[in-house]
Amino acid sequence: MIKSLEKLRLEALAELEQVSELKELESWRVRCTGKKSKLTQALRSLASLPLDERRKIGSLANEIKVDLELRMDEKKKFLEEEHMASFLKQEGLDITLPGKLMPTGRLHPVTQALDEICSIFTRMGFQIAEGPDVEWDYYNFEALNIPPEHPARDMFATFWVDSKETGESARLLRTHTSPMQIRIMEKEQPPIRVLVPGRTYRYEATDATHESMFYQVEGLAIDTNITMADLKGTLFEFCHCLFGEERKVRFRCDYFPFVEPGVEVAVECLNCHGKGCRLCGYSGWLEILGAGMVHPNVLKRVAIDPEKYTGFAFGMGVERIPMLCYGIDDIRLFYNNDIRFLKQF
Amino acid sequence: MYASLKWLGDYVDIIPKHHELADKLTMAGMEVKAIQTIGSNWNDVVVGHVTAVTPHPNADKLHLVTVNLGSQQITVVCGAPNIRVGQKVPFAKTGAKLIDGHTGKIALLKPARIRGILSEGMVCSEKELGISENHDNILVLSSEAPIGMPLDDYMGDVIFDLDVTPNRPDCLSMIGIAREIAALTGKPLHLPQICYEEAEKAISQFISVDIIEPVLCPRYCASLITGVKVAPSPGWLQQYLRSYGMRPINNVVDISNYVMLEYGQPLHTFDYHKLNDKQIIIRRAKDGEIIVSLDEIKRTLTQNNLIIVDMKKPVAIAGLMGGFDTGVTSTTTAILVESANFNRGAIRRSAEQLNLQSEASIRFGKGLNPDLPPIALKRATQLLLQLTGGKAAEGIIDIYPGKTAPHAILLSSKEVKRLSGLKVNINEILRILNTLGFECQKTDSVPAGISVLAPYWRSDIKCAADLAEEVIRIIGYDKIPITRLSASLPPQKFTPQRSLKQKLRNTLIGWGFQEILTYSLTSLEKLQKLSSKSKLRIDPLQIANPMTKKQEYLRTTLRAGLLTAMANNQKHEETGIRLFEIGKIFLPQHSTAIRKNQNLETGEKELPQEKEMLCIAFGGSQGDLSWRDDRKSFDFFDAKGVVEGLLKQLGLVSVFEPCDDEGLLLGKSANVILDGDKAGVVGNLHPRVAQAFELSDTICLIEMDLDKLMSKTNMAKRYQPIPQFPSITRDIALVIDRQVAFQQVENIIQGFPLVKKATLFDVYTGKQIPEGKKSFAIRIIYQSAKRTLTEKQIDKIQQQMLNKLHRELGTTLRD
């Protein structure tokens, strides 16, 4: 009896080995462990056996049944996985097909540059203010220490709304964001720390490096005890935030009528790292900012006492920054608005 | 300003490392934009003397030229038409590296057989030497050039191209630049020694001068030289002028140019014998007065032009150019040299009006000091005597009505520190200012201070800040310490407008819209394309001096720029295009407001109102060409959806009402109403406008007023609790007259209690629906915040709702 049970086990396991589909597994189960299987029959016939034999054989038959069921579960799991794999093999996706793109728009590169510049200076406590594009001669020139026929007016080719002979009440398109220095100082008392982004205009024929319209960002800080060292620190920090900590920055003397002393800030050429190339005119430096200490005449004009207060102002062209960073060689691309250009940023 | 280092070397020792010198100048405020080295590659080029010129036996246009090089004689073939026996010429031996006159590239000179004659070497043009583009003629050197001398030794040079800032007209001169170099390098400055012999007859017996306009002409000086022989200038003088880019003409003209470049004071030379009645008057021109200037152009003058006249006619336009009739010619024997000071404004106006910019007008227009004319005049007189063989009349004319007293500026070490953050000892300040030519005296009026007088050439120095800059720029801006702002932080302000713009931008780019920025200036033509009427609704502000017709008016709408960009992009994009711009429009104001401190009368001009707008344009297919997408085109409801979505972002709900915007299609456009106030429009672009801008596809346009959005945006958003109780959903299908707007249906439904949401999910006309009717399928969600609703309750409400819809709008339920 024991022998025949062991034989049943071996036969059943051999058959299980042959099973290759889930359907067959079910018929194997019916055949080998089902109600009508030899094993079940053997268990039923136990009653006719003597007690001690019954116990021995009974436990063996049970053990075989449990064993077979266990093996069947394993086989089932195996077959199911195999089945899934073969199903996926047939029904799976060509994952190299292109995905469905979510629509993507971009901010204009000038907006991106403005946002970056504004965010650096707002972290330093500068407040953002905006002013009119159409200005009075008074704010654009006169109050900034540039009276009529001053030679510095040559630096600012101007679009006039009224004839310039009208004097300080002539309207014009602001040639820089500096008029806001006056508008702010007229209204507010020191301490002042503002940043003015905006459009500016120059009466210039357009070419790859000149536009009649461009953006500037103006900065102004007025208080007691502000020095050029603070200006230097502020602008060096800005350049490092924008162009990287390692970038060399140069601070040199320059002239703007509304500041004294005047400063120009340049950074080490992004292209040649100071060795000299076409981009930097073989100087190794790229001019980024004009700046200086607010001229005492300008402070007097807005009734801020230059004996008590000092301050600095700076201004920078915005387009130049993405031009340098991305190697854009034609400023006109910004306002042609070709999306093949704009989508790149 | 071009500056030859060789020439500068006459006044100051030049340090041999040119790049170091250039750096020093750049750092101190005078940027060296470029450095040109002349002659560094002139190996095997020497000065030759032409001893014979004979025709080439086999070619009409070629010559055989024999050149004496000192150690040898060489005969070469030469094609230049200006070759003559006796000339000194640059001669290149074989092996020299020259610029090929035709290709412009550097080429090695090899022996060559030209029309059967062997030529070993070449007489050079300026182009071949890399001096200029002139390749028609050979360069003829001065007769003094030493035969056989390497050309580099004879005329090699280094030229700095300097960017002189408008405050430093003194540096539009060699001596001005030399002063800077002396101060920056600590080398002594050597100025020309001016002395000459004068004849006995006083100048006053030759000429008298009368200034009618002393404000415009603060000083007028003149000298007179007789027995002048006009001839070519000596080589050194010619070379100096060439180094600046000027053509030598004759000794008299060249000297006046030379002294202008040396001292920065423009001079003019008259042919004395051509002046009528020996009288010079400086006055304003009369309107319509005429002068033929040196360049032989007839110019009509106005009162804006200051002129020099003799007893009969204008002889020069002051500060700009002399007259042709009284100019120096080869037959001139006596000259009157003018060295004057003119008001910078007068010269700028005059130059601009006559469109006549000259080396003289550039210098006068920047403002020169009236102390300079006699110095430059005497220098010119000295050179004229040396180089023309003439005799000077005794004394000079010097009329000086505009003399002003110099004023002292006080400066202290403390003030330098207060501005620059750099601590500089007063003795160091004193030393630096002295090297720059300032006169300083210690004074008790400020502690550790000095009283400073600026030298005459520094008219730009007016206050202590100017002096502080002088001190620190010589020390070097790189010595200024680096500190962070320690001043107190002003109170920060609420700037909701910026956040609003940022929110709108970010939402739109997230939906695939591309931001663009278009010009503020536009053309009348473009603005007119947007309108059906011949008269514009808003007259745009015009620019008095536009650069082009395309940019002549300030935009009164963002539409024109956006539609232009749309059309340009449609030329190359094959999928739909979505663009937006946030920017200012300019609306002229004819306000009666009186400007602060100004007595402007009513109706006077005002600055335009600058209004920030959002404009969106899109059209074409919604998706990219893809294996997944259906490529439906954008329509009105996409545009409306954009508006609704944006407003939702801002926490706003609007009503849409039909609009009659002349740029949009009637019936497919709407006003966006916020709290009863029009905040913008949305709709399909009118096909006429689309055609005018050469647009294809249906274009959706949205325009929103940012101020309106700003004022309606509810900053104080309140939280709504998440519903606790389940909702009940009912779908209904209504049949209704076609004229009835959905809004009317929706208003009734929303008016019932417990209606949480009503969503239109189908609009149908056609089979099964009677003619003139349409069907709305609407899903209504009922929910209470307080309890679970029962079907019975909802049945009751919904029946009331259907009754009301039937009563007021004539709806029936669809079977």
Side-chain angles (χ1 to χ4, degrees):
Chain A
M1 187 70 181
I2 291 176
K3 262 189 186 167
S4 70
L5 280 178
E6 284 297 348
K7 194 177 162 218
L8 273 179
R9 167 157 42 192
L10 287 175
E11 276 170 10
L13 286 178
E15 274 179 49
L16 186 64
E17 194 66 25
Q18 298 302 312
V19 169
S20 63
E21 274 183 53
L22 281 168
K23 282 181 292 186
E24 291 172 36
L25 189 66
E26 180 58 17
S27 64
W28 176 88
R29 186 189 67 79
V30 173
R31 205 165 57 242
C32 299
T33 65
K35 282 178 186 158
K36 291 176 181 167
S37 65
K38 286 177 186 165
L39 186 65
T40 309
Q41 281 167 13
L43 277 167
R44 276 200 200 118
S45 67
L46 282 181
S48 59
L49 293 176
L51 188 64
D52 60 332
E53 200 147 322
R54 194 193 304 171
R55 194 174 289 148
K56 217 160 101 190
I57 292 175
S59 90
L60 176 66
N62 262 325
E63 184 208 308
I64 291 171
K65 191 171 182 190
V66 170
D67 181 34
L68 288 180
E69 277 167 359
L70 199 75
R71 297 306 248 325
M72 186 189 78
D73 285 347
E74 277 171 15
K75 183 78 182 185
K76 190 176 175 193
K77 213 167 159 192
F78 170 77
L79 286 175
E80 274 170 356
E81 273 170 20
E82 199 176 51
H83 179 76
M84 180 58 81
S86 87
F87 172 80
L88 287 179
K89 203 165 178 186
Q90 281 168 34
E91 301 293 317
L93 301 175
D94 173 0
I95 50 112
T96 66
L97 286 175
K100 183 177 150 67
L101 267 185
M102 288 293 126
T104 48
R106 297 280 204 286
L107 292 179
H108 193 283
V110 167
T111 305
Q112 293 184 37
L114 277 168
D115 284 351
E116 182 65 28
I117 294 165
C118 290
S119 109
I120 295 170
F121 282 110
T122 47
R123 294 199 295 266
M124 297 188 213
F126 285 80
Q127 288 206 127
I128 293 170
E130 289 180 38
D133 292 19
V134 183
E135 262 295 2
W136 302 106
D137 177 290
Y138 175 80
Y139 287 106
N140 197 74
F141 290 127
E142 186 85 34
L144 287 166
N145 206 25
I146 318 172
E149 283 153 3
H150 190 283
R153 289 212 178 196
D154 293 348
M155 298 162 83
F156 308 97
T158 310
F159 281 110
W160 296 92
V161 173
D162 304 308
S163 156
K164 69 173 167 183
E165 313 303 333
T166 325
E168 65 175 31
S169 62
R171 292 170 298 178
L172 49 79
L173 302 191
R174 62 174 173 192
T175 57
H176 45 186
T177 38
S178 310
M180 272 303 277
Q181 289 186 26
I182 305 297
R183 287 183 177 273
I184 288 161
M185 289 190 288
E186 275 181 349
K187 277 194 302 194
E188 285 169 32
Q189 281 300 307
I192 291 171
R193 210 182 284 190
V194 287
L195 194 73
V196 185
R199 283 187 175 192
T200 56
Y201 307 83
R202 296 277 168 93
Y203 183 77
E204 267 177 9
T206 49
D207 62 29
T209 52
H210 296 89
E211 251 297 0
S212 56
M213 179 188 92
F214 50 95
Y215 281 79
Q216 271 193 355
V217 173
E218 185 89 6
L220 176 72
I222 309 280
D223 201 358
T224 52
N225 301 324
I226 289 182
T227 72
M228 277 179 95
D230 296 329
L231 172 62
K232 198 172 179 180
T234 302
L235 295 182
F236 274 40
E237 198 161 276
F238 165 73
C239 289
H240 288 144
C241 284
L242 200 63
F243 299 107
E245 305 254 332
E246 303 302 312
R247 184 80 39 200
K248 280 190 196 137
V249 188
R250 183 181 76 178
F251 207 62
R252 63 168 276 261
C253 179
D254 202 352
Y255 169 74
F256 305 97
F258 37 98
V259 291
E260 189 74 22
V263 177
E264 177 214 85
V265 178
V267 294
E268 184 186 46
C269 180
L270 306 178
N271 185 44
C272 65
H273 303 281
K275 288 189 201 78
C277 68
R278 248 186 69 192
L279 180 67
C280 58
Y282 302 95
S283 68
W285 296 100
L286 298 167
E287 295 156 20
I288 296 292
L289 281 141
M293 300 302 288
V294 178
H295 199 289
N297 291 355
V298 173
L299 292 175
K300 275 182 223 157
R301 179 79 69 160
V302 292
I304 291 178
D305 180 4
E307 304 283 322
K308 183 174 175 198
Y309 294 103
T310 54
F312 63 67
F314 58 83
M316 75 186 94
V318 176
E319 288 81 355
R320 192 165 161 75
I321 288 165
M323 284 181 86
L324 296 174
C325 290
Y326 304 124
I328 300 164
D329 53 9
D330 193 334
I331 191 170
R332 289 168 295 193
L333 286 165
F334 289 108
Y335 306 111
N336 276 351
N337 289 310
D338 188 319
I339 56 180
R340 291 171 297 183
F341 171 75
L342 299 176
K343 289 265 182 213
Q344 296 178 31
F345 306 100
Chain B
M1 171 86 190
Y2 294 110
S4 145
L5 293 193
K6 203 173 200 178
W7 188 348
L8 287 170
D10 289 356
Y11 317 109
V12 63
D13 287 347
I14 299 296
I15 55 170
K17 287 182 182 164
H18 302 140
H19 279 92
E20 259 175 39
L21 181 61
D23 270 354
K24 277 185 195 289
L25 284 165
T26 299
M27 286 298 287
M30 211 188 309
E31 187 189 1
V32 179
K33 288 184 289 182
I35 301 173
Q36 190 197 355
T37 309
I38 295 169
S40 60
N41 52 352
W42 289 344
N43 296 327
D44 295 312
V45 185
V46 298
V47 177
H49 184 222
V50 180
T51 54
V53 177
T54 56
H56 190 294
N58 306 325
D60 292 344
K61 288 188 177 167
L62 299 179
H63 303 285
L64 298 183
V65 179
T66 307
V67 185
N68 174 14
L69 305 178
S71 54
Q72 59 176 138
Q73 290 253 3
I74 261 186
T75 300
V76 293
V77 178
C78 175
N82 66 329
I83 189 101
R84 300 283 182 277
V85 173
Q87 284 169 336
K88 295 279 177 64
V89 292
F91 184 86
K93 301 177 190 171
T94 56
K97 280 180 185 154
L98 297 176
I99 291 169
D100 186 304
H102 303 289
T103 65
K105 288 183 183 143
I106 293 174
L108 188 72
L109 186 63
K110 294 178 200 154
R113 196 167 281 280
I114 301 167
R115 293 284 178 103
I117 306 268
L118 183 69
S119 189
E120 291 179 289
M122 187 162 86
V123 183
C124 303
S125 69
E126 289 185 15
K127 182 167 183 184
E128 283 156 343
L129 293 169
I131 301 173
S132 79
E133 280 304 299
N134 186 348
H135 191 49
D136 297 335
N137 289 318
I138 50 137
L139 170 64
V140 180
L141 305 174
S142 158
S143 57
E144 303 143 31
I147 296 168
M149 181 186 254
L151 193 68
D152 185 14
D153 294 350
Y154 176 63
M155 57 180 287
D157 200 353
V158 173
I159 311 286
F160 279 3
D161 182 2
L162 293 158
D163 193 1
V164 177
T165 53
N167 58 326
R168 294 299 303 272
D170 62 303
C171 285
L172 294 172
S173 75
M174 293 299 154
I175 288 178
I177 298 163
R179 278 195 193 103
E180 286 285 303
I181 295 174
L184 289 167
T185 59
K187 307 269 185 202
L189 186 72
H190 315 287
L191 292 180
Q193 294 298 314
I194 303 172
C195 60
Y196 53 84
E197 271 183 37
E198 294 175 350
E200 278 178 17
K201 196 171 166 189
I203 191 166
S204 55
Q205 296 182 348
F206 290 91
I207 193 90
S208 67
V209 173
D210 191 6
I211 301 176
I212 308 278
E213 294 281 350
V215 174
L216 304 186
C217 178
R219 191 171 198 176
Y220 196 97
C221 302
S223 70
L224 189 99
I225 298 136
T226 56
V228 164
K229 203 166 168 245
V230 177
S233 302
W236 64 267
L237 178 49
Q238 294 198 12
Q239 222 184 85
Y240 278 176
L241 293 182
R242 278 206 188 91
S243 75
Y244 184 77
M246 268 184 180
R247 291 251 142 224
I249 295 167
N250 61 46
N251 49 8
V252 174
V253 175
D254 291 353
I255 286 167
S256 98
N257 281 332
Y258 173 81
V259 174
M260 172 180 72
L261 296 177
E262 188 177 45
Y263 279 91
Q265 168 69 44
L267 305 173
H268 182 63
T269 47
F270 294 103
D271 183 331
Y272 172 70
H273 293 302
K274 291 178 190 158
L275 294 172
N276 290 296
D277 296 336
K278 316 310 168 203
Q279 170 76 40
I280 290 278
I281 298 162
I282 299 97
R283 63 163 166 84
R284 282 176 190 269
K286 294 169 191 136
D287 285 336
E289 217 166 344
I290 283 167
I291 185 171
V292 177
S293 50
L294 264 178
D295 50 10
E296 297 183 55
I297 293 171
K298 190 170 151 185
R299 296 174 190 272
T300 308
L301 306 170
T302 72
Q303 286 197 24
N304 278 334
N305 307 116
L306 186 68
I307 55 171
I308 318 294
V309 297
D310 62 13
M311 286 310 278
K312 287 200 176 136
K313 59 177 191 311
V315 294
I317 313 165
L320 305 189
M321 199 177 266
F324 179 73
D325 294 340
T326 51
V328 171
T329 66
S330 56
T331 58
T332 299
T333 57
I335 52 176
L336 181 77
V337 186
E338 167 198 289
S339 181
N341 183 263
F342 300 114
N343 172 282
R344 72 181 182 198
I347 300 303
R348 292 171 73 81
R349 266 196 304 273
S350 186
E352 193 173 309
Q353 188 203 322
L354 293 171
N355 195 16
L356 178 60
Q357 292 294 347
S358 62
E359 291 285 343
S361 70
I362 287 168
R363 287 172 175 77
F364 282 125
K366 296 229 173 359
L368 295 173
N369 193 286
D371 283 345
L372 186 55
I375 301 167
L377 179 68
K378 286 175 187 163
R379 172 64 168 159
T381 307
Q382 174 194 27
L383 289 169
L384 283 164
L385 298 187
Q386 275 172 20
L387 301 180
T388 68
K391 284 199 165 75
E394 191 263 317
I396 58 166
I397 300 277
D398 188 357
I399 318 263
Y400 194 179
K403 193 162 182 151
T404 50
H407 87 283
I409 306 164
L410 298 178
L411 184 70
S412 65
S413 180
K414 200 177 152 202
E415 182 64 8
V416 172
K417 172 103 197 307
R418 190 174 81 103
L419 285 172
S420 70
L422 192 65
K423 202 168 175 218
V424 191
N425 181 297
I426 194 70
N427 292 324
E428 178 66 1
I429 293 174
L430 206 121
R431 188 194 64 77
I432 290 168
L433 290 176
N434 278 334
T435 64
L436 287 165
F438 290 77
E439 283 175 40
C440 309
Q441 270 187 330
K442 294 236 169 143
T443 170
D444 296 333
S445 50
V446 255
I450 47 171
S451 163
V452 184
L453 278 180
Y456 73 83
W457 59 87
R458 292 301 302 272
S459 318
D460 60 307
I461 302 293
K462 295 199 173 76
C463 62
D466 294 326
L467 291 173
E469 178 181 273
E470 291 304 303
V471 172
I472 55 169
R473 79 184 179 88
I474 298 298
I475 293 174
Y477 275 28
D478 51 340
K479 304 288 190 302
I480 296 171
I482 294 176
T483 56
R484 308 183 72 221
L485 274 172
S486 56
S488 50
L489 207 56
Q492 297 295 298
K493 281 180 196 155
F494 180 52
T495 53
Q497 184 99 8
R498 258 189 93 71
S499 331
L500 173 79
K501 282 191 276 184
Q502 238 152 25
K503 203 174 228 179
L504 292 172
R505 276 194 190 109
N506 288 339
T507 304
L508 284 165
I509 64 166
W511 291 340
F513 286 85
Q514 171 64 49
E515 188 193 22
I516 65 168
L517 297 170
T518 68
Y519 293 107
S520 306
L521 290 173
T522 186
S523 66
L524 212 49
E525 190 201 344
K526 272 218 175 115
L527 291 173
Q528 254 149 4
K529 280 182 184 174
L530 291 167
S531 156
S532 57
K533 295 169 190 114
S534 57
K535 176 138 178 41
L536 291 174
R537 203 166 48 84
I538 304 163
D539 281 326
L541 207 57
Q542 189 176 8
I543 298 299
N545 60 333
M547 189 65 93
T548 66
K549 280 270 162 207
K550 278 177 162 175
Q551 302 199 338
E552 195 183 357
Y553 291 86
L554 280 156
R555 63 183 179 187
T556 50
T557 166
L558 300 184
R559 291 183 193 187
L562 208 60
L563 293 177
T564 306
M566 191 83 190
N568 289 340
N569 280 301
Q570 275 189 345
K571 286 177 193 143
H572 51 76
E573 290 302 303
E574 59 157 11
T575 60
I577 299 168
R578 317 170 199 198
L579 303 175
F580 77 98
E581 178 172 16
I582 291 177
K584 284 177 179 175
I585 59 171
F586 302 85
L587 307 175
Q589 298 194 102
H590 303 284
S591 124
T592 52
I594 293 171
R595 199 148 62 85
K596 203 177 78 177
N597 305 331
Q598 301 261 337
N599 274 333
L600 295 181
E601 284 171 26
T602 45
E604 269 288 351
K605 65 198 181 191
E606 273 297 314
L607 293 184
Q609 183 197 1
E610 300 191 5
K611 212 168 153 58
E612 279 200 293
M613 303 292 286
L614 161 67
C615 194
I616 307 173
F618 59 111
S621 65
Q622 297 191 9
D624 291 343
L625 176 64
S626 160
W627 62 284
R628 281 290 295 259
D629 275 307
D630 69 321
R631 309 195 70 211
K632 241 177 78 187
S633 284
F634 288 115
D635 65 16
F636 172 80
F637 292 102
D638 294 306
K640 190 179 172 192
V642 168
V643 175
E644 287 168 327
L646 284 177
L647 294 178
K648 205 165 190 176
Q649 280 280 355
L650 304 176
L652 294 172
V653 180
S654 67
V655 176
F656 294 82
E657 290 177 353
C659 83
D660 57 355
D661 187 292
E662 56 188 9
L664 301 179
L665 199 54
L666 193 68
K668 292 191 174 176
S669 58
N671 287 331
V672 183
I673 311 287
L674 289 171
D675 282 348
D677 202 2
K678 180 177 163 188
V681 291
V682 51
N684 288 2
L685 191 66
H686 198 292
R688 182 181 32 73
V689 178
Q691 201 182 0
F693 280 90
E694 295 174 29
L695 286 157
S696 54
D697 301 328
T698 299
I699 303 295
C700 302
L701 194 91
I702 297 165
E703 201 172 53
M704 303 293 291
D705 180 334
L706 291 198
D707 287 338
K708 292 271 170 65
L709 289 186
M710 193 67 246
S711 65
K712 308 290 180 192
T713 302
N714 183 9
M715 285 301 175
K717 273 188 193 162
R718 301 295 298 180
Y719 142 86
Q720 296 292 321
I722 294 165
Q724 297 282 326
F725 300 96
S727 61
I728 287 176
T729 300
R730 293 285 171 89
D731 287 352
I732 56 171
L734 300 170
V735 176
I736 194 167
D737 278 350
R738 271 202 207 166
Q739 284 77 15
V740 178
F742 175 69
Q743 183 88 59
Q744 293 170 274
V745 177
E746 197 188 13
N747 286 348
I748 290 178
I749 296 175
Q750 295 282 12
F752 278 85
L754 303 176
V755 172
K756 182 88 179 171
K757 198 175 170 196
T759 310
L760 179 71
F761 64 91
D762 192 32
V763 180
Y764 179 75
T765 54
K767 271 186 206 164
Q768 302 158 350
I769 300 292
E771 191 71 15
K773 302 266 184 186
K774 62 186 169 188
S775 153
F776 286 145
I778 302 165
R779 170 162 299 174
I780 304 167
I781 297 174
Y782 297 91
Q783 195 169 36
S784 163
K786 290 176 189 146
R787 60 187 137 337
T788 302
L789 297 173
T790 64
E791 294 289 335
K792 216 173 152 192
Q793 277 176 302
I794 299 309
D795 287 344
K796 198 174 156 200
I797 293 173
Q798 188 144 331
Q799 195 50 55
Q800 286 170 353
M801 183 187 288
L802 290 173
N803 291 344
K804 189 168 185 191
L805 283 166
H806 176 70
R807 214 166 46 239
E808 294 186 8
L809 301 174
T811 61
T812 53
L813 269 183
R814 193 174 162 191
D815 312 323

